[in-house]
Amino acid sequence: MSGPGDVPPEILDQLRPICRQLPETYEEPAWIGIRWRIRTRTVAHVYTPDVERFPVYAEHVTGGEAPTVMTFRVPLEDLLGLTASGFPFFRAPWGHNVGAVVLGQHTDWLEIAELLTDSYCELAPKFLVTRLLNRPPCPG
C-alpha cells in the first residue's frame, strides 16, 4: 500500500461482488479509501486509517501495519451483541449505529456479506429492500 487510506486489492476483490448484489449500490472513492453507497447514503466504507492522526485505531495495529477497517450501519438492537466480543468488531468512533470491523486473512466473508446486506437494508428505500429480500438465493 502506498499510504493511509489505501485498501489492499485482495480485500476489494472480496467486497466488490458482495456490494454488486445490492440493488442500485455504487462504488466511489471516499475522502479516504473506498465506499459503497445507495443514493447518498454510505452502506460501507473501507479504508486504512492513519493511526497517528486517529489514535482510536492504534489498538488494531498488527505487525507494525495499520489495520484495514470497514464501517457499516448496524440495527441498534444488534450493535452491542456484534461488538461485545471484541476483535475483529468494534463500535465506530462516530455515529449512533455504526459498526466497524478489521478486515484481513481472518475475515469470514459470508458474515461480512450478511452485515453489508443489513447495512443496505438500514439505508435503502423500502422498495429496493423488498426487491433484494424477495429474490431467489444466489447459487453456490
Side-chain angles (χ1 to χ4, degrees), residues 38-135:
I38 178 64
R39 309 276 165 94
T40 60
R41 297 174 171 177
T42 301
V43 173
H45 181 194
V46 64
Y47 53 96
T48 303
D50 178 347
V51 294
E52 290 183 22
R53 206 168 148 209
F54 302 102
V56 68
Y57 298 106
E59 70 182 87
H60 303 292
V61 170
T62 339
E65 292 290 321
T68 298
V69 175
M70 182 183 75
T71 58
F72 52 95
R73 299 293 171 157
V74 181
L76 278 176
E77 60 273 10
D78 298 338
L79 185 59
L80 182 58
L82 180 67
T83 59
S85 60
F87 186 87
F89 297 102
F90 60 100
R91 192 170 189 156
W94 54 270
H96 70 284
N97 68 337
V98 184
V101 60
V102 176
L103 301 173
Q105 292 182 356
H106 61 274
T107 300
D108 176 346
W109 292 104
L110 290 175
E111 182 175 33
I112 296 300
E114 288 178 31
L115 292 169
L116 289 176
T117 300
D118 289 347
S119 181
Y120 176 86
C121 290
E122 286 284 300
L123 301 171
K126 298 304 171 212
F127 78 95
L128 289 176
V129 171
T130 300
R131 204 164 93 192
L132 173 71
L133 298 178
N134 288 334
R135 70 179 182 194

